[in-house]
Amino acid sequence: MKRREFMQAAAAASLAAYAGTAARAQAWPDKPVRLIVAQPAGSGPDAIARMVGEQLSQRWKQAVVVDNKPGGQNAIGAQAAARSAPDGYNFYFATSAALVTNPYLFKSLPYDPQKDFTPVGMIGRVPFVLAVNTASPAKTLQEFIAEAKANPGKVTIANEGPKTFGGMMTRLFGSQAGLQVNSVPYVSIGAAVTQTVGGQTEAVMGDVPALIQMIKAGRLRPIAVTTARPVAGLETVPSLAEVVPGFDYAGFMAIVAPAGTPAAAIQRFNRDLDAVLSDKEMAAKLLAVGPMTEGAGAPEQMAAFLQAEHTRWGKLTKDIGILPE
C-alpha cells in the first residue's frame, strides 16, 4: 500500500513539474527581451533588427530592446552576447562576419562562435554586387574582365577593407578569374560608394542595400552579383558564377542565443520569428533594405548551415591566402 501511495505521489509531482514547465514556456516572455546588435544605431543591421523586433514585440506583448554594441569587427557585440545570461531574455542579432568569417581573419577572438551560441533562426541572405562608375568603359562583366586583363593591377575596386565581406569577395573574384585588380579599402561602404561615384575608383564591391539607391539613380552601373541566383531588383544583372563557376556567396543575418538558453524560449522565438518573416509585406520591407528572407527555418537547419559555411570559408581563406592576424 505504501508503495502504491509513493508511486502515486511521484506521478503527481512529475505531472506538477511538467505543468509548471509548460506554463512557463507558454508564458514566455513575461518581461522585455534584449536583442544585441554589433553595429551602430542607424546602420543596416540595426534598422532590420528594429523592424523584426517591433513585429515580435506586438506578438509577445513585451518590449524588444535593441542594445547596440558596435566596434571591433563585431567582436564587442558578440562578446557581450556570449557573456549574457542564458535565461531566454538575451539574444544576438548576428551577421556572417561574427558567426563565420571572423575566426579565419583574427588569431584571437573574445568569443567562440561555434561554442558560445545556440542557433535560433535565420533572418536572410544579403547579396553583394559589383558596380562600376558610369564613366567606366566597361558596360558588362565580360568587358570589365577584359579591361582588367589588359591593364594588370590598374583597375580599382573599392570596398570596406581586406577583412570584410566585400574585400574578400573582391580578392576571391580576382583570384578565381585570373585577374590582377587593385583592391582599395575605405573606412565604410558609404565612403567606398561615394569615391566610386566620384570617379576616384572605377568599381565598388558592396552589399546590395548600400549600393541600390545609387544604382537606381543611374550613378552606378551594376555588372555582376555574387549569388548564383538572381537578386530581386537586379534580375537582369548576371552572376559572377557566369565567369567563375561555383561562385555563390552572400552575407547573412541570423538570431542566436547564448549557449545554455532554455529550449522552450528558443523554440518560441523561432516559431514567432518564422511567422514574422513569412508575412509577404514584412518580407518586402526587409528586401527593400537588405536581406532576402525565406523564413527562419528550424534551429537544426541553421546549425547545419553554419557548419557548412565554416568548412567552406576555412577552405576559401586558405585558397586566397588570407591568414589570421
Side-chain angles (χ1 to χ4, degrees):
M1 188 68 179
K2 289 182 179 180
R3 183 175 183 277
R4 181 181 297 174
E5 291 174 352
F6 173 79
M7 294 297 290
Q8 290 175 338
S14 177
L15 182 61
Y18 173 80
T21 300
R24 286 193 295 273
Q26 189 66 28
W28 184 94
D30 57 8
K31 63 179 182 180
V33 173
R34 183 169 71 139
L35 191 57
I36 296 173
V37 177
Q39 290 76 29
S43 64
D46 172 76
I48 294 163
R50 292 178 188 276
M51 289 172 62
V52 172
E54 181 181 358
Q55 294 299 311
L56 291 172
S57 178
Q58 292 178 13
R59 288 176 173 272
W60 295 338
K61 310 302 180 185
Q62 291 289 343
V64 174
V65 180
V66 173
D67 187 1
N68 299 95
K69 294 188 178 297
Q73 293 281 56
N74 295 275
I76 293 175
Q79 179 184 27
R83 294 182 178 179
S84 297
D87 57 3
Y89 290 89
N90 293 290
F91 295 87
Y92 179 33
F93 186 95
T95 63
S96 47
L99 295 183
V100 174
T101 61
N102 273 357
Y104 306 102
L105 303 177
F106 300 95
K107 286 184 177 179
S108 63
L109 290 171
Y111 70 98
D112 186 326
Q114 293 180 289
K115 295 180 180 179
D116 291 343
F117 299 115
T118 298
V120 176
M122 292 291 294
I123 297 295
R125 300 181 79 207
V126 184
F128 276 57
V129 59
L130 177 64
V132 297
N133 177 286
T134 51
S136 168
K139 301 294 190 294
T140 66
L141 175 60
Q142 287 73 17
E143 290 179 358
F144 183 81
I145 290 174
E147 180 192 358
K149 287 185 175 180
N151 302 278
K154 294 184 179 180
V155 172
T156 53
I157 302 180
N159 53 71
E160 290 181 272
K163 292 185 179 297
T164 65
F165 200 97
M168 287 187 287
M169 289 300 97
T170 299
R171 189 164 176 175
L172 181 63
F173 164 56
S175 173
Q176 295 191 351
L179 307 177
Q180 294 181 38
V181 295
N182 183 9
S183 179
V184 184
Y186 287 92
V187 295
S188 68
I189 188 59
V193 169
T194 299
Q195 294 298 300
T196 305
V197 169
Q200 283 73 29
T201 58
E202 182 171 351
V204 58
M205 179 78 80
D207 61 275
V208 171
L211 275 65
I212 194 65
Q213 293 307 317
M214 286 298 179
I215 290 173
K216 288 182 177 179
R219 307 287 298 279
L220 288 174
R221 181 188 307 124
I223 58 173
V225 294
T226 61
T227 53
R229 292 169 57 183
V231 174
L234 299 172
E235 290 87 354
T236 61
V237 178
S239 169
L240 285 174
E242 291 190 9
V243 294
V244 182
F247 201 107
D248 184 15
Y249 294 91
F252 66 85
M253 298 176 184
I255 304 291
V256 295
T261 296
I266 289 174
Q267 291 166 3
R268 175 73 186 279
F269 198 133
N270 174 268
R271 184 191 74 188
D272 291 342
L273 177 63
D274 186 65
V276 166
L277 299 177
S278 296
D279 179 79
K280 291 184 178 179
E281 184 176 344
M282 183 62 178
K285 288 181 179 179
L286 289 175
L287 184 61
V289 295
M292 301 186 300
T293 184
E294 295 180 350
E300 296 78 13
Q301 290 175 310
M302 182 176 160
F305 168 79
L306 291 176
Q307 185 57 54
E309 286 292 281
H310 273 284
T311 300
R312 187 162 75 137
W313 279 92
K315 181 178 185 303
L316 183 154
T317 50
K318 287 183 180 179
D319 289 346
I320 62 178
I322 294 180
L323 300 175
E325 296 179 358

PDB file of all heavy atoms in Angstrom, residues 257-284:
ATOM      1  N   ALA A 257      21.397  32.659 -29.630  1.00  0.00           N
ATOM      2  CA  ALA A 257      21.244  32.885 -28.194  1.00  0.00           C
ATOM      3  C   ALA A 257      22.488  32.395 -27.472  1.00  0.00           C
ATOM      4  O   ALA A 257      23.213  31.537 -27.985  1.00  0.00           O
ATOM      5  CB  ALA A 257      20.015  32.138 -27.674  1.00  0.00           C
ATOM      6  N   PRO A 258      22.768  32.914 -26.289  1.00  0.00           N
ATOM      7  CA  PRO A 258      23.896  32.395 -25.515  1.00  0.00           C
ATOM      8  C   PRO A 258      23.711  30.902 -25.266  1.00  0.00           C
ATOM      9  O   PRO A 258      22.585  30.436 -25.030  1.00  0.00           O
ATOM     10  CB  PRO A 258      23.826  33.186 -24.205  1.00  0.00           C
ATOM     11  CG  PRO A 258      23.033  34.410 -24.520  1.00  0.00           C
ATOM     12  CD  PRO A 258      22.059  33.999 -25.576  1.00  0.00           C
ATOM     13  N   ALA A 259      24.791  30.149 -25.357  1.00  0.00           N
ATOM     14  CA  ALA A 259      24.715  28.708 -25.107  1.00  0.00           C
ATOM     15  C   ALA A 259      24.095  28.456 -23.740  1.00  0.00           C
ATOM     16  O   ALA A 259      24.418  29.133 -22.764  1.00  0.00           O
ATOM     17  CB  ALA A 259      26.108  28.093 -25.177  1.00  0.00           C
ATOM     18  N   GLY A 260      23.185  27.491 -23.687  1.00  0.00           N
ATOM     19  CA  GLY A 260      22.523  27.168 -22.432  1.00  0.00           C
ATOM     20  C   GLY A 260      21.158  27.803 -22.282  1.00  0.00           C
ATOM     21  O   GLY A 260      20.465  27.561 -21.288  1.00  0.00           O
ATOM     22  N   THR A 261      20.753  28.614 -23.270  1.00  0.00           N
ATOM     23  CA  THR A 261      19.421  29.229 -23.234  1.00  0.00           C
ATOM     24  C   THR A 261      18.349  28.140 -23.271  1.00  0.00           C
ATOM     25  O   THR A 261      18.462  27.183 -24.039  1.00  0.00           O
ATOM     26  CB  THR A 261      19.244  30.187 -24.426  1.00  0.00           C
ATOM     27  OG1 THR A 261      20.184  31.254 -24.303  1.00  0.00           O
ATOM     28  CG2 THR A 261      17.837  30.758 -24.482  1.00  0.00           C
ATOM     29  N   PRO A 262      17.300  28.246 -22.448  1.00  0.00           N
ATOM     30  CA  PRO A 262      16.257  27.222 -22.418  1.00  0.00           C
ATOM     31  C   PRO A 262      15.675  26.932 -23.800  1.00  0.00           C
ATOM     32  O   PRO A 262      15.402  27.847 -24.577  1.00  0.00           O
ATOM     33  CB  PRO A 262      15.196  27.831 -21.490  1.00  0.00           C
ATOM     34  CG  PRO A 262      15.977  28.747 -20.595  1.00  0.00           C
ATOM     35  CD  PRO A 262      17.057  29.319 -21.464  1.00  0.00           C
ATOM     36  N   ALA A 263      15.492  25.653 -24.085  1.00  0.00           N
ATOM     37  CA  ALA A 263      14.980  25.232 -25.391  1.00  0.00           C
ATOM     38  C   ALA A 263      13.594  25.809 -25.663  1.00  0.00           C
ATOM     39  O   ALA A 263      13.263  26.140 -26.804  1.00  0.00           O
ATOM     40  CB  ALA A 263      14.941  23.710 -25.466  1.00  0.00           C
ATOM     41  N   ALA A 264      12.777  25.938 -24.608  1.00  0.00           N
ATOM     42  CA  ALA A 264      11.419  26.451 -24.799  1.00  0.00           C
ATOM     43  C   ALA A 264      11.435  27.875 -25.342  1.00  0.00           C
ATOM     44  O   ALA A 264      10.642  28.226 -26.221  1.00  0.00           O
ATOM     45  CB  ALA A 264      10.659  26.402 -23.476  1.00  0.00           C
ATOM     46  N   ALA A 265      12.352  28.701 -24.838  1.00  0.00           N
ATOM     47  CA  ALA A 265      12.448  30.084 -25.309  1.00  0.00           C
ATOM     48  C   ALA A 265      12.929  30.125 -26.755  1.00  0.00           C
ATOM     49  O   ALA A 265      12.433  30.901 -27.567  1.00  0.00           O
ATOM     50  CB  ALA A 265      13.399  30.878 -24.416  1.00  0.00           C
ATOM     51  N   ILE A 266      13.889  29.281 -27.089  1.00  0.00           N
ATOM     52  CA  ILE A 266      14.418  29.224 -28.457  1.00  0.00           C
ATOM     53  C   ILE A 266      13.338  28.770 -29.430  1.00  0.00           C
ATOM     54  O   ILE A 266      13.168  29.342 -30.511  1.00  0.00           O
ATOM     55  CB  ILE A 266      15.635  28.287 -28.518  1.00  0.00           C
ATOM     56  CG1 ILE A 266      16.821  28.946 -27.808  1.00  0.00           C
ATOM     57  CG2 ILE A 266      16.009  27.951 -29.967  1.00  0.00           C
ATOM     58  CD1 ILE A 266      18.035  28.076 -27.683  1.00  0.00           C
ATOM     59  N   GLN A 267      12.579  27.765 -29.046  1.00  0.00           N
ATOM     60  CA  GLN A 267      11.527  27.246 -29.919  1.00  0.00           C
ATOM     61  C   GLN A 267      10.438  28.283 -30.150  1.00  0.00           C
ATOM     62  O   GLN A 267       9.944  28.451 -31.273  1.00  0.00           O
ATOM     63  CB  GLN A 267      10.958  25.966 -29.322  1.00  0.00           C
ATOM     64  CG  GLN A 267      11.943  24.798 -29.365  1.00  0.00           C
ATOM     65  CD  GLN A 267      11.526  23.637 -28.488  1.00  0.00           C
ATOM     66  OE1 GLN A 267      10.456  23.667 -27.866  1.00  0.00           O
ATOM     67  NE2 GLN A 267      12.369  22.617 -28.415  1.00  0.00           N
ATOM     68  N   ARG A 268      10.051  28.983 -29.077  1.00  0.00           N
ATOM     69  CA  ARG A 268       9.016  30.002 -29.220  1.00  0.00           C
ATOM     70  C   ARG A 268       9.522  31.162 -30.083  1.00  0.00           C
ATOM     71  O   ARG A 268       8.799  31.670 -30.957  1.00  0.00           O
ATOM     72  CB  ARG A 268       8.605  30.503 -27.833  1.00  0.00           C
ATOM     73  CG  ARG A 268       7.606  31.670 -27.853  1.00  0.00           C
ATOM     74  CD  ARG A 268       6.191  31.253 -28.246  1.00  0.00           C
ATOM     75  NE  ARG A 268       5.325  32.401 -28.392  1.00  0.00           N
ATOM     76  CZ  ARG A 268       4.732  33.046 -27.368  1.00  0.00           C
ATOM     77  NH1 ARG A 268       4.927  32.625 -26.123  1.00  0.00           N
ATOM     78  NH2 ARG A 268       3.956  34.078 -27.595  1.00  0.00           N
ATOM     79  N   PHE A 269      10.741  31.596 -29.837  1.00  0.00           N
ATOM     80  CA  PHE A 269      11.330  32.680 -30.623  1.00  0.00           C
ATOM     81  C   PHE A 269      11.384  32.267 -32.088  1.00  0.00           C
ATOM     82  O   PHE A 269      11.007  33.021 -32.984  1.00  0.00           O
ATOM     83  CB  PHE A 269      12.735  32.991 -30.102  1.00  0.00           C
ATOM     84  CG  PHE A 269      13.277  34.339 -30.520  1.00  0.00           C
ATOM     85  CD1 PHE A 269      13.880  35.177 -29.594  1.00  0.00           C
ATOM     86  CD2 PHE A 269      13.202  34.775 -31.838  1.00  0.00           C
ATOM     87  CE1 PHE A 269      14.388  36.420 -29.965  1.00  0.00           C
ATOM     88  CE2 PHE A 269      13.700  36.016 -32.221  1.00  0.00           C
ATOM     89  CZ  PHE A 269      14.296  36.840 -31.282  1.00  0.00           C
ATOM     90  N   ASN A 270      11.845  31.046 -32.352  1.00  0.00           N
ATOM     91  CA  ASN A 270      11.959  30.562 -33.727  1.00  0.00           C
ATOM     92  C   ASN A 270      10.596  30.527 -34.410  1.00  0.00           C
ATOM     93  O   ASN A 270      10.457  30.973 -35.561  1.00  0.00           O
ATOM     94  CB  ASN A 270      12.582  29.170 -33.732  1.00  0.00           C
ATOM     95  CG  ASN A 270      12.591  28.541 -35.114  1.00  0.00           C
ATOM     96  OD1 ASN A 270      11.658  27.830 -35.491  1.00  0.00           O
ATOM     97  ND2 ASN A 270      13.637  28.799 -35.879  1.00  0.00           N
ATOM     98  N   ARG A 271       9.603  30.025 -33.713  1.00  0.00           N
ATOM     99  CA  ARG A 271       8.257  29.926 -34.287  1.00  0.00           C
ATOM    100  C   ARG A 271       7.704  31.297 -34.658  1.00  0.00           C
ATOM    101  O   ARG A 271       7.183  31.507 -35.763  1.00  0.00           O
ATOM    102  CB  ARG A 271       7.313  29.246 -33.287  1.00  0.00           C
ATOM    103  CG  ARG A 271       5.906  28.994 -33.821  1.00  0.00           C
ATOM    104  CD  ARG A 271       4.981  28.578 -32.695  1.00  0.00           C
ATOM    105  NE  ARG A 271       4.628  29.714 -31.842  1.00  0.00           N
ATOM    106  CZ  ARG A 271       3.961  29.611 -30.688  1.00  0.00           C
ATOM    107  NH1 ARG A 271       3.617  28.419 -30.233  1.00  0.00           N
ATOM    108  NH2 ARG A 271       3.657  30.688 -30.001  1.00  0.00           N
ATOM    109  N   ASP A 272       7.841  32.254 -33.752  1.00  0.00           N
ATOM    110  CA  ASP A 272       7.288  33.582 -33.995  1.00  0.00           C
ATOM    111  C   ASP A 272       8.122  34.361 -35.007  1.00  0.00           C
ATOM    112  O   ASP A 272       7.587  35.149 -35.795  1.00  0.00           O
ATOM    113  CB  ASP A 272       7.183  34.350 -32.672  1.00  0.00           C
ATOM    114  CG  ASP A 272       6.123  33.756 -31.752  1.00  0.00           C
ATOM    115  OD1 ASP A 272       5.269  32.995 -32.250  1.00  0.00           O
ATOM    116  OD2 ASP A 272       6.152  34.026 -30.538  1.00  0.00           O
ATOM    117  N   LEU A 273       9.444  34.148 -35.003  1.00  0.00           N
ATOM    118  CA  LEU A 273      10.295  34.790 -36.000  1.00  0.00           C
ATOM    119  C   LEU A 273       9.920  34.308 -37.397  1.00  0.00           C
ATOM    120  O   LEU A 273       9.828  35.101 -38.346  1.00  0.00           O
ATOM    121  CB  LEU A 273      11.759  34.475 -35.717  1.00  0.00           C
ATOM    122  CG  LEU A 273      12.779  35.025 -36.725  1.00  0.00           C
ATOM    123  CD1 LEU A 273      12.761  36.540 -36.732  1.00  0.00           C
ATOM    124  CD2 LEU A 273      14.181  34.512 -36.403  1.00  0.00           C
ATOM    125  N   ASP A 274       9.673  33.021 -37.532  1.00  0.00           N
ATOM    126  CA  ASP A 274       9.290  32.474 -38.833  1.00  0.00           C
ATOM    127  C   ASP A 274       7.961  33.066 -39.302  1.00  0.00           C
ATOM    128  O   ASP A 274       7.796  33.377 -40.484  1.00  0.00           O
ATOM    129  CB  ASP A 274       9.179  30.950 -38.743  1.00  0.00           C
ATOM    130  CG  ASP A 274       8.935  30.318 -40.105  1.00  0.00           C
ATOM    131  OD1 ASP A 274       9.825  30.405 -40.973  1.00  0.00           O
ATOM    132  OD2 ASP A 274       7.844  29.752 -40.313  1.00  0.00           O
ATOM    133  N   ALA A 275       7.030  33.248 -38.359  1.00  0.00           N
ATOM    134  CA  ALA A 275       5.738  33.838 -38.716  1.00  0.00           C
ATOM    135  C   ALA A 275       5.918  35.278 -39.193  1.00  0.00           C
ATOM    136  O   ALA A 275       5.282  35.701 -40.167  1.00  0.00           O
ATOM    137  CB  ALA A 275       4.799  33.789 -37.510  1.00  0.00           C
ATOM    138  N   VAL A 276       6.789  36.025 -38.540  1.00  0.00           N
ATOM    139  CA  VAL A 276       7.046  37.409 -38.927  1.00  0.00           C
ATOM    140  C   VAL A 276       7.668  37.466 -40.324  1.00  0.00           C
ATOM    141  O   VAL A 276       7.243  38.235 -41.190  1.00  0.00           O
ATOM    142  CB  VAL A 276       7.976  38.100 -37.903  1.00  0.00           C
ATOM    143  CG1 VAL A 276       8.513  39.415 -38.459  1.00  0.00           C
ATOM    144  CG2 VAL A 276       7.231  38.352 -36.602  1.00  0.00           C
ATOM    145  N   LEU A 277       8.674  36.629 -40.560  1.00  0.00           N
ATOM    146  CA  LEU A 277       9.389  36.657 -41.835  1.00  0.00           C
ATOM    147  C   LEU A 277       8.556  36.102 -42.987  1.00  0.00           C
ATOM    148  O   LEU A 277       8.796  36.432 -44.154  1.00  0.00           O
ATOM    149  CB  LEU A 277      10.689  35.861 -41.723  1.00  0.00           C
ATOM    150  CG  LEU A 277      11.702  36.377 -40.693  1.00  0.00           C
ATOM    151  CD1 LEU A 277      12.915  35.453 -40.648  1.00  0.00           C
ATOM    152  CD2 LEU A 277      12.127  37.802 -41.017  1.00  0.00           C
ATOM    153  N   SER A 278       7.588  35.251 -42.669  1.00  0.00           N
ATOM    154  CA  SER A 278       6.751  34.640 -43.701  1.00  0.00           C
ATOM    155  C   SER A 278       5.655  35.581 -44.188  1.00  0.00           C
ATOM    156  O   SER A 278       4.987  35.302 -45.187  1.00  0.00           O
ATOM    157  CB  SER A 278       6.124  33.342 -43.171  1.00  0.00           C
ATOM    158  OG  SER A 278       7.141  32.392 -42.882  1.00  0.00           O
ATOM    159  N   ASP A 279       5.454  36.682 -43.474  1.00  0.00           N
ATOM    160  CA  ASP A 279       4.482  37.682 -43.902  1.00  0.00           C
ATOM    161  C   ASP A 279       5.003  38.388 -45.151  1.00  0.00           C
ATOM    162  O   ASP A 279       6.114  38.921 -45.147  1.00  0.00           O
ATOM    163  CB  ASP A 279       4.243  38.695 -42.775  1.00  0.00           C
ATOM    164  CG  ASP A 279       3.251  39.770 -43.183  1.00  0.00           C
ATOM    165  OD1 ASP A 279       2.048  39.503 -43.152  1.00  0.00           O
ATOM    166  OD2 ASP A 279       3.709  40.878 -43.550  1.00  0.00           O
ATOM    167  N   LYS A 280       4.233  38.380 -46.229  1.00  0.00           N
ATOM    168  CA  LYS A 280       4.703  38.923 -47.510  1.00  0.00           C
ATOM    169  C   LYS A 280       5.053  40.398 -47.425  1.00  0.00           C
ATOM    170  O   LYS A 280       6.038  40.855 -48.018  1.00  0.00           O
ATOM    171  CB  LYS A 280       3.646  38.692 -48.588  1.00  0.00           C
ATOM    172  CG  LYS A 280       3.472  37.226 -48.975  1.00  0.00           C
ATOM    173  CD  LYS A 280       2.482  37.072 -50.106  1.00  0.00           C
ATOM    174  CE  LYS A 280       2.351  35.607 -50.516  1.00  0.00           C
ATOM    175  NZ  LYS A 280       1.368  35.428 -51.621  1.00  0.00           N
ATOM    176  N   GLU A 281       4.269  41.147 -46.685  1.00  0.00           N
ATOM    177  CA  GLU A 281       4.542  42.582 -46.554  1.00  0.00           C
ATOM    178  C   GLU A 281       5.858  42.809 -45.808  1.00  0.00           C
ATOM    179  O   GLU A 281       6.660  43.660 -46.198  1.00  0.00           O
ATOM    180  CB  GLU A 281       3.392  43.261 -45.804  1.00  0.00           C
ATOM    181  CG  GLU A 281       3.551  44.772 -45.697  1.00  0.00           C
ATOM    182  CD  GLU A 281       2.361  45.433 -45.026  1.00  0.00           C
ATOM    183  OE1 GLU A 281       1.301  44.780 -44.916  1.00  0.00           O
ATOM    184  OE2 GLU A 281       2.494  46.602 -44.615  1.00  0.00           O
ATOM    185  N   MET A 282       6.071  42.030 -44.755  1.00  0.00           N
ATOM    186  CA  MET A 282       7.308  42.169 -43.993  1.00  0.00           C
ATOM    187  C   MET A 282       8.509  41.748 -44.838  1.00  0.00           C
ATOM    188  O   MET A 282       9.557  42.405 -44.815  1.00  0.00           O
ATOM    189  CB  MET A 282       7.232  41.311 -42.729  1.00  0.00           C
ATOM    190  CG  MET A 282       8.450  41.431 -41.818  1.00  0.00           C
ATOM    191  SD  MET A 282       8.644  43.120 -41.195  1.00  0.00           S
ATOM    192  CE  MET A 282      10.088  42.908 -40.150  1.00  0.00           C
ATOM    193  N   ALA A 283       8.377  40.663 -45.585  1.00  0.00           N
ATOM    194  CA  ALA A 283       9.466  40.193 -46.436  1.00  0.00           C
ATOM    195  C   ALA A 283       9.839  41.258 -47.463  1.00  0.00           C
ATOM    196  O   ALA A 283      11.029  41.461 -47.756  1.00  0.00           O
ATOM    197  CB  ALA A 283       9.078  38.898 -47.128  1.00  0.00           C
ATOM    198  N   ALA A 284       8.849  41.952 -48.001  1.00  0.00           N
ATOM    199  CA  ALA A 284       9.101  43.014 -48.987  1.00  0.00           C
ATOM    200  C   ALA A 284       9.823  44.189 -48.342  1.00  0.00           C
ATOM    201  O   ALA A 284      10.728  44.785 -48.948  1.00  0.00           O
ATOM    202  CB  ALA A 284       7.783  43.467 -49.599  1.00  0.00           C
TER     203      ALA A 284
END
